[in-house]
Every structure is written in C-alpha cells, then in structure tokens.
Amino acid sequence: MQKKLIVLPLLLLGICFNTLGQRQSVDVQHYGISLTVRDNTDKITATAEITLRFLNELPELRLDLVGPAIADTGMTVLKVTEKVSAGRSAAAKPGAPYNIKNIPFRQDSAALYLSVNGRKDETHTYRIEYAGIPGDGLIISKNKYGKRTFFTDNWPDRAHHWLPCIDHPSDKAAVDFDVITPDKYTVVANGLKTQDVLTGNHQRRTHYTEKALLPTKIFAIGIAGFAVDHSADVQGIPVYSYVFPENKKQGFADYGKAGEILRFFIQQIGPYPYKKLANIQSKTIYGGMENAGAIFYSEESVGSRDIEELLAHEIAHQWFGDAITETGWEHVWLSEGFATYMTHLYMEHTYGTDTLKTGLKADRKKVIAFEKKRYTPVVDTSAKDRYTQLLNANSYQKGGWVLHMLRRQVGDSLFWKGIRSYFATYGGHNANTSDFRKVMEKESGQNLDDFFRQWLYMPGMPELSIRPGGEGKFIITQQQEPLFTFPLEYAIDNDPRIYKVQIKDKVTVINIHANHTIRIDPQINLLFMYGRDM
C-alpha cells in the first residue's frame, strides 16, 4: 500500500472487535459473495456463503459485521441458513440429498452471532442474506469525472462494513464473487473472470473465482465505466489496465509499465502467486491498495511522475503482504517495509545504484523526522485497534532500511537466497518477524538475533557524534541509549577505498593519518543520525 494524506473518521480506526479466541476457534475456507448494486440507491443486497472448519468446540460463531443503524446504514441480516444432510443434523456433502436448516442469529453494532454448536474438525457452510448501505469498506461514490463507481477498500479491517467475515489478516480463504450490476458497468475483482453475461432488464452478471487464500484486507471488487487494456503477458500471467475512459491514453501508457516490473520480481523472488495482474484506477483512499491480482490506485495516479515507483510498490506487495501475510498488525513491516525496499531494488535494477542511494537518503530523513515525533519500535504492539497509525515511516521506510542493512550484512547472493526461501516457505500462508529471521539465519548461516532485536524490537537508531581527537585520531560517540552494534563505513578525503569499523561501545577511536578528513557512510549503508540531524 502506498500512503496518501487522509483523514479517517473515528469509526474506521477501531472497527474490529473480534477476539483472539474466536479466530483460533474457526478457520474460514471459502467465501462465496453474491452482491447486487443499483444506480437508484446506495443500498446493496447480498448473500455470503461462508465455509469454515471448527478448530474447537464452539456453541456460538461470531462474525465481524457492522450492524444496522439509522436510514438503512449498516448491514441488516435477513436470514441465515445451512444445507444439512437429509434426516440428520450435519453438513450436507456435495450432491447428497439435503434440507435447509434455519440458523438462529443475533446482531449488535459490531458483529453477527450464529447459534451453531460447532464440533471440532467439522466443516460447515452458512448462507447469510443481508442488505444495507455500507458506511465504509465498499465505497459508493462518484469519480473525479462525476461518474458513479463502486470500489471495495478494506484495509486494515474495514471489510466487515459490508461483508460478514473474520476480518483479520491471520484468517485467509478462497473467494468467489457473483456481482449483478446495471449493464453499463464493467466489473473487476480478485481471481479469474468465469462469467460475464447480460441477463435482461439492463443488468449484467459477472463472476470471478480466486482459489488462492486471501485475507479480507485484500478482497477486491471494482465496478465502474472502465477502458480496459491487455498490456502484456509475463510467463503466462495476463497483465491488464483498467482506467476511467477519460484517462485512457495516459492511463494505458502509465499502467503499461507493470509488465516489466512483474518480470523483475518473478525473476528475483519466485513465481507470481495469482492468475492475473490487473492495475485499476479507483476511489481508494490510499495512494495504492495491493488487492491480490487486482491492485487499486488512486484516481490521481494517472499522470503522476511517481507512477513507476507506485506500480513497483503495489506489485511487490503481491508477494509480501498478499501471498505472505503478516500474522498480526504489529508485523506490518513485513508487508510495507518489504514493498518499500523492493521498489528501491527495482529502481536500482532499472536506473542504477545512484537511484537506490538517493531513495535511501530520502527515506532516512523520513525515519529521523518520525522518530522525533514518536519513539517506538518497528514491531509496534501499542496500536491496539487503531491500525492506521501503523502507516508510518517505521513500517515503510525504516522497515526498508532494515532490509537494506540486512542485505549488506549477509551479502547480495545470500540475501536473495533468503528472500526466495522465505516466499517458498510462507507463500499462501502467514508469517511473523521471527519466521522471517529464522529463514534468513538458515540461508545465511548467521545468528541474526541481535540484528533483529536492535533494529526491529528496539526504538531508535544510532545517534553519532564524530570529532577529531588529535594526532590523526577521530572519536566516534554513540549518544543514544541503549547502545547499538553495527559496522560503520568511512572514507578518507577523496580516497575511493571504503574502510569499516565495528561499533559496539559508547566511544570508539579510529586512527588515520594526520591532517585528513573522513566521510561517514559514503555508500549509504547505515540508518543513523549524525551531527545536524539530531
């Protein structure tokens, strides 16, 4: 996701009240979402068929769903049913005779509760019929050209404003979308399109199937008048651009850069995890939103001078954040820090090392500025349910810097070997910071405990003062507490050679010939504050 200056109403910031115990009690296998939208009302009618396995005994199933409020806002559940085998109260098998069983339920402002009496290891499918006007999560509005549009915008946990679900990144499921719209619209969603037909009465029915397991934060439905371009095929993956017709020429040119970006990441990381890549101009409140295989970009993205970096950031997310999803919000750097650094690596590959250095210097300034406002570690457990505050320079730029320093510590070859192994191990699943560390330790043969502890679990960074000590000496002092351990590179005058000293104490003295000056971190390989930065 690319950040965008946004002001979120309070209802967005504390919207998922699902308990850890509930998430550990069920595992959603599949969502079948049927959705009807209209032009004469913002009210949607929908059905969600949710197939899940009970991991423990559970008398009552809690699903995240914003309940009904005034003037049809919020979701009103109309009916909940289950197919059960004829003659006994158990889940019906496909093709077997079945009866429809009504499931008792209740709602409050944040959740839907089903009386299920679930037994461990049983799999059930519940069909929930509901309707209402989404207060968020499914944005029904007009684009900058005054045309009506419908776009999901679920990050971080806003899906349950329009969909009953387990609205947490740790629960991943396959999904089917069956969408009925006025026939003037084009529909795009996660997965492959398996049906697109006119049904009469000026309506269109479109079906998409996504078999890969996704968290709800990256479920995507986009409904608008689109111009569509099939811009490339990369190793069998079709690449599409969906833009507003008024932006067709510029939008196709801008989004058309996606093919080469996709090719680079496949080569460096591993197979692309989805069956298509669609880049979509949208009404997302973010600069970009990395929905799996159906990336949403802000409507102002077309014509942006930073469009190539924006595309690279969101496409990198397809591996990091989408295929490998963080186990909890405190590990969001595994998504945003990775996308930030992978963007730098793509730009380095395309435009040279100086581009990487320029990007890292700009990122370092952002991290320093953020630290002066908020002193907190990258793995931040203080956010509680206000997850949008994690969209900060720690998760993005400092997370990217950690990867850069890790790359320099283990070397390019072992760094990429570790990245590929991390994706191969956790693609399609969830991972946390410790999981990533263990993979990198295995592939590099190094103990990285101290590296991860100080850069990710401790707040701050080295704050250095460097002064002459007489007779060709320079005194380097760490001014922060606690102390960091790190290699410091330096150069002498205009000598192209790079020297390195290991810093671990409060004070370190380096010796050079008299009457010389030194340049600290000439290759831009260390995250630190120095002199005027402090």
Side-chain angles (χ1 to χ4, degrees):
M1 180 194 318
Q2 274 281 25
K3 294 177 289 185
K4 183 179 177 182
L5 183 59
I6 52 174
V7 179
L8 296 179
L10 289 178
L11 62 87
L12 304 189
L13 299 178
I15 51 182
C16 187
F17 303 95
N18 199 12
T19 65
L20 176 63
Q22 174 71 92
R23 293 199 306 271
Q24 290 177 337
S25 295
V26 297
D27 177 20
V28 179
Q29 312 283 303
H30 182 266
Y31 291 93
I33 302 168
S34 297
L35 177 68
T36 299
V37 302
R38 304 171 181 84
D39 272 342
N40 61 352
T41 178
D42 288 349
K43 186 175 183 178
I44 65 170
T45 56
T47 301
E49 289 195 349
I50 303 176
T51 300
L52 55 85
R53 183 169 66 92
F54 289 99
L55 306 180
N56 295 296
E57 303 288 323
L58 195 68
E60 185 174 69
L61 171 64
R62 183 192 190 282
L63 297 171
D64 300 309
L65 183 67
V66 171
I70 59 172
D72 276 345
T73 58
M75 297 294 106
T76 298
V77 174
L78 307 172
K79 188 177 184 180
V80 182
T81 59
E82 180 187 12
K83 292 180 180 179
V84 298
S85 296
R88 56 194 177 98
S89 182
K93 296 180 180 180
Y98 64 87
N99 296 320
I100 299 296
K101 176 185 177 182
N102 289 320
I103 302 297
F105 67 89
R106 61 186 177 90
Q107 279 189 272
D108 61 24
S109 62
L112 169 66
Y113 303 86
L114 310 185
S115 297
V116 294
N117 294 317
R119 297 179 179 178
K120 185 177 180 180
D121 294 328
E122 283 187 347
T123 299
H124 291 257
T125 299
Y126 301 104
R127 188 175 192 271
I128 302 164
E129 300 174 31
Y130 62 102
I133 297 174
D136 192 31
L138 176 59
I139 309 301
I140 302 173
S141 62
K142 292 183 179 180
N143 67 14
K144 62 181 180 178
Y145 299 106
K147 305 293 179 63
R148 186 168 168 85
T149 61
F150 310 76
F151 287 100
T152 55
D153 205 29
N154 294 330
W155 200 97
D157 54 353
R158 295 154 58 209
H160 73 281
H161 280 274
W162 66 276
L163 173 69
C165 59
I166 303 294
D167 206 1
H168 190 272
S170 63
D171 196 291
K172 304 178 73 167
V175 60
D176 277 73
F177 299 101
D178 196 66
V179 185
I180 296 175
T181 68
D183 60 8
K184 65 181 180 181
Y185 293 116
T186 297
V187 178
V188 61
N190 310 108
L192 293 178
K193 183 162 59 178
T194 58
Q195 185 183 48
D196 187 4
V197 297
L198 299 177
T199 60
N201 297 319
H202 302 288
Q203 289 189 316
R204 177 185 300 276
R205 183 172 191 169
T206 311
H207 192 102
Y208 280 84
T209 297
E210 177 55 83
K211 294 182 179 180
L213 304 185
L214 310 179
T216 53
K217 67 172 184 168
I218 52 173
F219 282 10
I221 305 171
I223 304 167
F226 286 117
V228 184
D229 182 38
H230 183 172
S231 61
D233 289 283
V234 179
Q235 297 189 20
I237 304 298
V239 181
Y240 300 101
S241 303
Y242 287 73
V243 300
F244 303 143
E246 295 86 349
N247 291 136
K248 180 177 178 179
K249 182 177 180 181
Q250 183 71 57
F252 286 172
D254 284 352
Y255 290 3
K257 302 176 189 293
E260 285 307 307
I261 297 170
L262 178 62
R263 195 182 314 277
F264 171 75
F265 287 136
I266 289 174
Q267 176 182 333
Q268 293 299 113
I269 303 167
Y272 179 69
Y274 307 108
K275 298 297 184 183
K276 75 163 190 300
L277 173 60
N279 296 283
I280 303 152
Q281 190 178 15
S282 78
K283 289 289 291 181
T284 177
I285 63 174
Y286 305 107
M289 181 58 226
E290 62 267 19
N291 307 308
I295 301 170
F296 288 177
Y297 301 88
S298 75
E299 57 184 345
E300 295 86 8
S301 62
V302 173
S304 166
R305 64 181 183 179
D306 299 323
I307 186 62
E308 189 170 17
E309 292 172 89
L310 176 60
L311 288 164
H313 184 100
E314 303 306 331
I315 293 171
H317 269 308
Q318 304 299 292
W319 286 264
F320 306 110
D322 291 6
I324 307 175
T325 305
E326 60 273 18
T327 55
W329 302 110
E330 67 271 24
H331 301 285
V332 73
W333 85 277
L334 293 171
S335 175
E336 299 302 346
F338 269 70
T340 298
Y341 191 55
M342 291 297 153
T343 299
H344 285 316
L345 294 179
Y346 166 76
M347 298 299 285
E348 178 188 32
H349 164 78
T350 306
Y351 299 105
T353 303
D354 285 347
T355 304
L356 171 66
K357 292 179 180 179
T358 299
L360 288 170
K361 285 192 285 187
D363 285 357
R364 186 162 60 191
K365 289 180 180 178
K366 292 177 182 177
V367 177
I368 291 170
F370 176 75
E371 181 175 309
K372 291 176 181 177
K373 296 177 182 177
R374 186 165 172 226
Y375 191 68
T376 186
V378 172
V379 180
D380 184 358
T381 59
S382 69
K384 305 303 181 185
D385 56 359
R386 294 179 176 267
Y387 305 125
T388 52
Q389 70 178 299
L390 295 173
L391 302 183
N392 59 45
N394 263 6
S395 299
Y396 287 75
Q397 286 82 15
K398 188 172 182 180
W401 255 104
V402 170
L403 291 173
H404 181 66
M405 292 185 291
L406 179 62
R407 176 188 174 199
R408 291 296 185 241
Q409 175 158 323
V410 304
D412 273 18
S413 176
L414 291 176
F415 174 80
W416 281 115
K417 183 180 180 184
I419 293 295
R420 286 189 285 270
S421 178
Y422 176 55
F423 172 66
T425 302
Y426 289 102
H429 305 287
N430 294 89
N432 61 28
T433 302
S434 178
D435 295 325
F436 175 58
R437 174 184 57 79
K438 290 174 184 176
V439 170
M440 295 304 297
E441 286 182 333
K442 178 181 177 182
E443 299 302 338
S444 69
Q446 297 184 22
N447 185 327
L448 298 172
D449 264 342
D450 288 343
F451 178 93
F452 274 69
R453 176 188 54 79
Q454 69 180 14
W455 291 113
L456 294 166
Y457 292 96
M458 282 169 39
M461 67 184 78
E463 300 173 10
L464 305 181
S465 71
I466 302 172
R467 59 184 176 83
E471 298 182 358
K473 292 182 172 60
F474 279 85
I475 300 171
I476 302 169
T477 303
Q478 292 198 62
Q479 297 187 308
Q480 85 293 332
E481 291 289 347
L483 300 178
F484 278 65
T485 299
F486 56 92
L488 178 66
E489 297 177 341
Y490 63 96
I492 302 172
D493 290 338
N494 294 317
D495 186 338
R497 288 175 293 181
I498 302 298
Y499 299 88
K500 185 182 295 187
V501 59
Q502 188 73 8
I503 304 292
K504 60 182 178 63
D505 298 319
K506 180 78 173 176
V507 176
T508 303
V509 177
I510 58 175
N511 293 282
I512 64 173
H513 295 296
N515 301 319
H516 287 284
T517 59
I518 62 171
R519 290 178 290 120
I520 298 299
D521 190 39
Q523 300 287 79
I524 319 299
N525 286 327
L526 178 67
L527 180 62
F528 73 113
M529 284 193 232
Y530 170 48
R532 62 183 177 274
D533 294 331
M534 292 186 284

